[in-house]
Each structure stands twice: as structure tokens, then as C-alpha cells.
Amino acid sequence: MANFLLERTVALPLDEAWRRLTRWPRHAEAVPLTRIRVTTAEPTHQGTRFVARSGIGPLSFDDPMEVTEWHPPRDGAPGRCRLEKRGRVMTGWAELEVHPAPEDRTRVLWREEIHVRSVPAGLDGLVRRTSYVVFGRAVDRLLRTA
């Protein structure tokens, strides 16, 4: 399994950073070769499910996820969301957190554990580095654009 942690501090209010990170269809705009389909009713809540379809043609796979914790920021308090990956190709989890930071900024934490089936443990380092780059760019883009 590959684990990684992304940290960002952005000049956004807490609620806006949270909104940008947790609008699931927007992730398709930030992750290459990916489409997102939310399969439960809005708004997002514990139990919300969605599927990320990644790849091209026959090299595509579904990455179904479920929100297992949903604690939006309230009254300046931090927000936290946990997703469980439940696919045939990828399993694991992701945790997104937003914390107040000085000067009306927000500190974002994105932790993830990814297991890609049929990929030997000896390649976890490659999966970790690749995921760090791909998700780092995605987080940056999500936070940069409304």
C-alpha cells in the first residue's frame, strides 16, 4: 500500500476551501482522464457514493468511493471528510481536512492510502510518488479555481 500526505496553506476562507475540495464532479476537471458520477442524492453527507472512471477505452477502470465521515467546518472549526475506496482495481481511503490558519488562510491536509490490485508491494514507492504528483496537482487546481 502506498501512503502519502499533501499539505497546502491557501488564501481562502475555511468554508470556500472545503467547498472547492468536496464538490466531487469538479475532481474530474483536475484529475487527467477521469470522469466522476455521483450516485446518491445531493447534498454530500455520510453515505454519499460516487464513481471515478479513469483511463482510456479498454484501459479504463471504475474507482467507487463512499463518504464514511462528513464533518463540514462550522463557526471557524476545522472540517474533515473520509472516503473509502471500494473498487476492484483500487482500494484504500482518503481523508481531507481544512483548518483555520493565520491571516484568514486555510491549511489543507489530504492523506491517502492506495492499494492497486495486482501491483506488487515492491512498486509501492512508484505508486506513492505518482499519486503524490497527480493528487498534488489536482488539489492545487481544485483550490485555485472556483
Side-chain angles (χ1 to χ4, degrees):
M1 291 199 186
N3 294 289
F4 65 91
L5 168 65
L6 298 165
E7 297 182 64
R8 303 289 190 268
T9 300
V10 294
L12 291 171
L14 201 60
D15 291 339
E16 180 62 13
W18 177 262
R19 186 185 70 78
R20 290 182 186 192
L21 290 170
T22 60
R23 288 179 48 211
W24 311 121
R26 289 189 68 237
H27 286 237
E29 300 165 14
V31 179
L33 306 174
T34 299
R35 296 177 307 282
I36 305 280
R37 180 174 44 92
V38 178
T39 60
T40 52
E42 296 286 339
T44 296
H45 56 282
Q46 184 172 335
T48 292
R49 291 181 304 279
F50 57 95
V51 178
R53 177 116 180 123
S54 298
I56 299 174
L59 300 177
S60 297
F61 65 92
D62 287 339
D63 183 11
M65 291 174 248
E66 181 176 349
V67 176
T68 58
E69 292 182 37
W70 181 254
H71 306 286
R74 291 198 204 298
D75 302 321
R80 182 171 190 277
C81 172
R82 181 177 171 97
L83 306 170
E84 296 285 337
K85 296 173 158 290
R86 299 193 170 143
R88 289 182 297 161
V89 176
M90 294 177 69
T91 59
W93 51 265
E95 294 175 344
L96 295 76
E97 296 179 15
V98 293
H99 297 267
E103 301 175 13
D104 295 322
R105 297 169 67 85
T106 297
R107 181 169 176 249
V108 173
L109 301 174
W110 180 304
R111 292 181 191 88
E112 191 147 348
E113 178 177 282
I114 298 176
H115 179 278
V116 184
R117 293 182 201 254
S118 301
V119 172
L123 295 176
D124 282 351
L126 177 62
V127 172
R128 180 180 303 106
R129 287 187 300 278
T130 302
S131 298
Y132 185 85
V133 169
V134 170
F135 286 101
R137 288 179 181 164
V139 167
D140 292 344
R141 184 167 184 192
L142 289 167
L143 292 169
R144 190 173 49 246
T145 59

XYZ file of all heavy atoms in Angstrom, residues 54-108:
434
model
N -11.586 6.236 -14.614
C -10.290 6.735 -15.083
C -9.746 5.856 -16.200
O -9.935 4.637 -16.183
C -9.277 6.763 -13.935
O -9.715 7.636 -12.920
N -9.041 6.486 -17.134
C -8.383 5.748 -18.201
C -8.948 6.082 -19.564
O -9.746 6.997 -19.725
N -8.508 5.287 -20.539
C -8.941 5.450 -21.930
C -9.397 4.096 -22.455
O -8.661 3.101 -22.356
C -7.782 5.960 -22.818
C -7.301 7.323 -22.342
C -8.215 6.041 -24.280
C -6.066 7.821 -23.067
N -10.612 4.065 -23.010
C -11.128 2.852 -23.649
C -11.012 1.623 -22.775
O -11.410 1.628 -21.605
N -10.419 0.539 -23.340
C -10.347 -0.724 -22.591
C -9.390 -0.662 -21.391
O -9.372 -1.567 -20.565
C -9.857 -1.729 -23.632
C -9.165 -0.914 -24.659
C -9.863 0.415 -24.680
N -8.617 0.413 -21.290
C -7.700 0.564 -20.159
C -8.320 1.409 -19.042
O -7.623 1.932 -18.190
C -6.387 1.189 -20.624
C -5.618 0.387 -21.677
C -4.367 1.136 -22.105
C -5.272 -1.000 -21.159
N -9.649 1.525 -19.060
C -10.369 2.287 -18.037
C -10.802 1.380 -16.891
O -10.962 0.178 -17.063
C -11.615 2.937 -18.638
O -11.265 3.855 -19.631
N -10.982 1.984 -15.737
C -11.498 1.249 -14.584
C -12.316 2.189 -13.716
O -12.151 3.409 -13.751
C -10.367 0.611 -13.773
C -9.449 1.610 -13.129
C -9.684 2.060 -11.838
C -8.357 2.110 -13.829
C -8.848 2.988 -11.251
C -7.512 3.037 -13.242
C -7.754 3.487 -11.946
N -13.233 1.616 -12.949
C -14.051 2.373 -12.006
C -13.387 2.370 -10.637
O -12.830 1.358 -10.204
C -15.444 1.755 -11.870
C -16.307 2.011 -13.089
O -16.007 2.952 -13.843
O -17.283 1.262 -13.285
N -13.465 3.516 -9.974
C -12.948 3.679 -8.621
C -14.120 4.152 -7.759
O -14.294 5.351 -7.540
C -11.803 4.696 -8.641
C -11.131 4.883 -7.290
O -11.398 4.094 -6.364
O -10.334 5.838 -7.161
N -14.984 3.231 -7.288
C -16.124 3.630 -6.465
C -15.681 4.046 -5.065
O -14.791 3.427 -4.479
C -17.007 2.380 -6.421
C -16.125 1.245 -6.790
C -14.966 1.794 -7.556
N -16.289 5.115 -4.565
C -15.947 5.644 -3.247
C -17.208 5.964 -2.468
O -18.240 6.247 -3.056
C -15.101 6.910 -3.396
C -13.719 6.648 -3.941
S -12.835 8.162 -4.266
C -12.761 8.087 -6.054
N -17.064 5.934 -1.146
C -18.160 6.303 -0.263
C -17.644 7.243 0.814
O -16.565 7.030 1.365
C -18.774 5.067 0.393
C -19.937 5.410 1.298
C -20.630 4.189 1.877
O -20.355 3.066 1.424
O -21.445 4.386 2.800
N -18.420 8.283 1.098
C -18.104 9.196 2.195
C -18.487 8.490 3.487
O -19.661 8.202 3.722
C -18.866 10.532 2.045
C -18.614 11.436 3.246
C -18.494 11.231 0.739
N -17.494 8.180 4.312
C -17.772 7.471 5.568
C -17.736 8.394 6.780
O -18.204 8.012 7.849
C -16.792 6.302 5.772
O -15.460 6.797 5.761
C -16.980 5.249 4.678
N -17.164 9.581 6.613
C -17.222 10.621 7.650
C -17.438 11.945 6.942
O -16.817 12.219 5.917
C -15.916 10.696 8.450
C -15.666 9.497 9.315
C -14.380 9.646 10.111
O -14.057 10.768 10.563
O -13.690 8.628 10.275
N -18.298 12.776 7.508
C -18.616 14.062 6.889
C -18.854 15.084 7.994
O -19.881 15.069 8.672
C -19.852 13.924 5.999
C -20.239 15.186 5.316
C -21.301 15.989 5.635
C -19.591 15.796 4.200
N -21.344 17.066 4.785
C -20.305 16.963 3.880
C -18.470 15.468 3.441
C -19.942 17.806 2.842
C -18.105 16.297 2.406
C -18.839 17.453 2.113
N -17.857 15.919 8.201
C -17.924 16.952 9.232
C -17.480 18.277 8.616
O -16.309 18.646 8.729
C -17.031 16.590 10.427
C -17.319 15.242 10.990
N -18.434 14.976 11.752
C -16.648 14.062 10.884
C -18.436 13.701 12.099
N -17.364 13.130 11.581
N -18.392 19.004 7.949
C -18.019 20.286 7.358
C -17.556 21.271 8.438
O -17.948 21.147 9.604
C -19.318 20.779 6.716
C -20.186 19.566 6.591
C -19.790 18.661 7.720
N -16.724 22.237 8.057
C -16.308 23.245 9.044
C -17.513 24.073 9.487
O -18.395 24.366 8.689
C -15.294 24.092 8.270
C -15.615 23.881 6.831
C -16.206 22.507 6.721
N -17.539 24.405 10.772
C -18.635 25.228 11.300
C -18.066 26.242 12.286
O -17.270 25.886 13.145
C -19.642 24.352 12.048
C -20.430 23.430 11.158
C -21.674 22.931 11.892
N -22.223 21.695 11.428
C -22.708 21.459 10.223
N -22.687 22.377 9.331
N -23.224 20.289 9.908
N -18.501 27.471 12.129
C -18.126 28.527 13.068
C -16.621 28.602 13.286
O -16.155 28.749 14.421
C -18.840 28.336 14.410
C -20.355 28.323 14.266
O -20.867 29.131 13.456
O -21.022 27.506 14.926
N -15.842 28.442 12.216
C -14.388 28.536 12.313
C -13.690 27.268 12.762
O -12.466 27.218 12.830
N -14.462 26.229 13.084
C -13.861 24.944 13.491
C -13.440 24.162 12.244
O -14.033 24.336 11.178
C -14.862 24.138 14.308
N -12.440 23.299 12.356
C -11.971 22.523 11.204
C -13.062 21.624 10.613
O -14.039 21.296 11.280
C -10.850 21.652 11.779
C -10.456 22.313 13.060
C -11.682 23.006 13.566
N -12.844 21.220 9.350
C -13.726 20.272 8.676
C -12.946 19.018 8.327
O -11.724 19.069 8.122
N -13.659 17.877 8.271
C -12.993 16.607 7.958
C -13.949 15.710 7.187
O -15.130 15.608 7.519
C -12.571 15.908 9.247
C -11.821 14.615 9.031
C -11.257 14.127 10.376
N -10.346 13.029 10.184
C -10.720 11.761 10.050
N -11.988 11.438 10.078
N -9.812 10.823 9.877
N -13.390 15.053 6.182
C -14.144 14.110 5.365
C -13.271 12.881 5.129
O -12.067 13.013 4.888
C -14.493 14.772 4.031
S -15.233 13.669 2.818
N -13.859 11.703 5.211
C -13.121 10.468 4.911
C -13.861 9.722 3.809
O -15.094 9.571 3.877
C -12.989 9.585 6.147
C -12.189 8.302 5.862
C -12.016 7.493 7.131
N -11.453 6.189 6.860
C -10.156 5.875 6.979
N -9.296 6.803 7.373
N -9.732 4.661 6.717
N -13.117 9.270 2.830
C -13.647 8.486 1.722
C -13.036 7.091 1.776
O -11.832 6.959 2.014
C -13.256 9.122 0.377
C -13.597 10.587 0.166
C -12.927 11.104 -1.089
C -15.102 10.757 0.088
N -13.843 6.097 1.534
C -13.356 4.719 1.415
C -13.420 4.338 -0.061
O -14.458 4.508 -0.704
C -14.217 3.755 2.234
C -14.176 3.993 3.717
C -12.900 3.538 4.391
O -12.196 2.654 3.838
O -12.596 4.074 5.474
N -12.297 3.836 -0.579
C -12.221 3.372 -1.971
C -12.583 1.898 -1.977
O -11.968 1.108 -1.270
C -10.810 3.568 -2.517
C -10.392 5.012 -2.602
C -8.915 5.078 -2.991
C -8.582 6.405 -3.598
N -9.150 6.608 -4.902
N -13.563 1.529 -2.803
C -14.096 0.166 -2.748
C -14.128 -0.498 -4.116
O -15.069 -1.208 -4.452
C -15.485 0.196 -2.140
C -15.422 0.742 -0.719
C -16.672 0.510 0.023
N -16.448 0.836 1.432
C -17.331 1.408 2.192
N -18.489 1.726 1.708
N -17.050 1.664 3.459
N -13.110 -0.249 -4.898
C -13.109 -0.783 -6.251
C -12.444 -2.130 -6.396
O -11.844 -2.659 -5.467
N -12.549 -2.677 -7.596
C -11.881 -3.938 -7.907
C -10.413 -3.702 -8.232
O -9.597 -4.590 -8.072
C -12.564 -4.626 -9.081
C -13.930 -5.192 -8.710
C -14.560 -5.914 -9.867
N -14.772 -4.947 -10.941
C -14.964 -5.254 -12.204
N -14.979 -6.495 -12.584
N -15.167 -4.314 -13.092
N -10.072 -2.487 -8.684
C -8.693 -2.165 -9.049
C -7.988 -1.426 -7.919
O -6.849 -1.727 -7.573
C -8.646 -1.331 -10.351
C -7.225 -0.908 -10.681
C -9.249 -2.125 -11.512
N -8.673 -0.437 -7.344
C -8.066 0.377 -6.287
C -8.890 0.273 -5.010
O -10.110 0.358 -5.044
C -7.970 1.837 -6.718
C -7.022 2.047 -7.868
S -6.975 3.757 -8.426
C -6.192 4.543 -7.039
N -8.183 0.125 -3.892
C -8.816 0.156 -2.584
C -8.016 1.121 -1.714
O -6.951 1.585 -2.092
C -8.864 -1.237 -1.930
O -7.526 -1.725 -1.788
C -9.687 -2.215 -2.750
N -8.559 1.400 -0.544
C -7.873 2.291 0.385
C -8.810 3.368 0.889
O -10.022 3.165 0.953
N -8.254 4.511 1.221
C -9.045 5.607 1.771
C -8.349 6.940 1.501
O -7.177 6.987 1.166
C -9.274 5.424 3.271
C -8.014 5.169 4.048
C -7.521 3.947 4.400
C -7.067 6.141 4.521
N -6.338 4.100 5.085
C -6.041 5.442 5.173
C -6.999 7.528 4.466
C -4.945 6.077 5.761
C -5.916 8.167 5.047
C -4.912 7.454 5.688
N -9.125 8.008 1.655
C -8.595 9.370 1.585
C -9.264 10.182 2.689
O -10.440 9.987 2.982
C -8.879 10.000 0.224
N -8.493 11.063 3.311
C -9.024 11.979 4.319
C -8.672 13.398 3.906
O -7.520 13.682 3.587
C -8.430 11.680 5.696
C -8.842 10.339 6.237
C -8.171 9.976 7.544
O -7.151 10.603 7.906
O -8.668 9.051 8.200
N -9.679 14.257 3.897
C -9.493 15.661 3.571
C -9.832 16.471 4.816
O -10.871 16.234 5.441
C -10.437 16.081 2.449
C -10.247 15.451 1.083
C -10.762 14.032 1.053
C -10.948 16.275 0.048
N -8.954 17.396 5.161
C -9.199 18.249 6.322
C -8.909 19.695 5.940
O -7.999 19.969 5.156
C -8.295 17.871 7.488
C -8.540 16.499 8.036
C -7.606 16.158 9.186
O -6.962 17.073 9.743
O -7.514 14.965 9.514
N -9.674 20.608 6.530
C -9.394 22.039 6.417
C -9.318 22.601 7.827
O -10.140 22.268 8.690
C -10.450 22.788 5.567
C -10.388 22.344 4.110
C -11.864 22.608 6.115
N -8.285 23.410 8.061
C -8.044 24.000 9.382
C -7.837 25.499 9.226
O -7.204 25.940 8.266
C -6.782 23.402 10.013
C -6.879 21.941 10.278
N -7.285 21.441 11.481
C -6.621 20.866 9.485
C -7.283 20.119 11.432
N -6.885 19.748 10.224
N -8.324 26.293 10.184
C -8.047 27.722 10.138
C -6.546 27.969 10.262
O -5.853 27.259 10.994
C -8.786 28.292 11.352
C -9.534 27.176 11.972
C -9.116 25.901 11.348
N -6.064 28.936 9.523
C -4.662 29.336 9.584
C -4.616 30.856 9.760
O -5.604 31.553 9.490
C -3.929 28.910 8.312
N -3.487 31.397 10.230
C -3.391 32.843 10.435
C -3.693 33.640 9.157
O -3.537 33.133 8.050
C -1.930 33.038 10.864
C -1.507 31.714 11.404
C -2.270 30.684 10.618
N -4.097 34.878 9.364
C -4.341 35.835 8.283
C -5.445 35.381 7.340
O -5.355 35.535 6.119
C -3.047 36.101 7.504
C -1.939 36.651 8.384
C -0.619 36.811 7.643
O -0.599 36.736 6.404
O 0.396 37.012 8.327
N -6.524 34.805 7.899
C -7.686 34.371 7.118
C -7.335 33.372 6.032
O -7.929 33.350 4.963
C -8.412 35.578 6.507
C -9.006 36.470 7.575
O -9.503 35.922 8.584
O -8.961 37.697 7.407
N -6.378 32.537 6.314
C -5.973 31.495 5.375
C -6.499 30.146 5.875
O -6.995 30.044 7.001
C -4.458 31.483 5.215
C -3.950 32.798 4.620
C -2.454 32.938 4.690
N -1.726 32.005 3.847
C -1.452 32.202 2.563
N -1.839 33.296 1.973
N -0.762 31.302 1.881
N -6.359 29.132 5.038
C -6.800 27.787 5.387
C -5.673 26.799 5.135
O -5.029 26.839 4.083
C -8.045 27.391 4.559
O -9.111 28.277 4.887
C -8.473 25.960 4.845
N -5.458 25.935 6.088
C -4.481 24.850 5.937
C -5.249 23.599 5.527
O -6.223 23.203 6.183
C -3.750 24.609 7.248
C -2.709 23.522 7.148
C -1.830 23.525 8.402
N -0.905 22.428 8.360
C -0.950 21.377 9.169
N -1.870 21.308 10.105
N -0.069 20.405 9.049
N -4.834 23.004 4.411
C -5.483 21.817 3.856
C -4.563 20.613 4.044
O -3.365 20.691 3.748
C -5.772 22.018 2.348
C -6.291 20.741 1.715
C -6.746 23.170 2.134
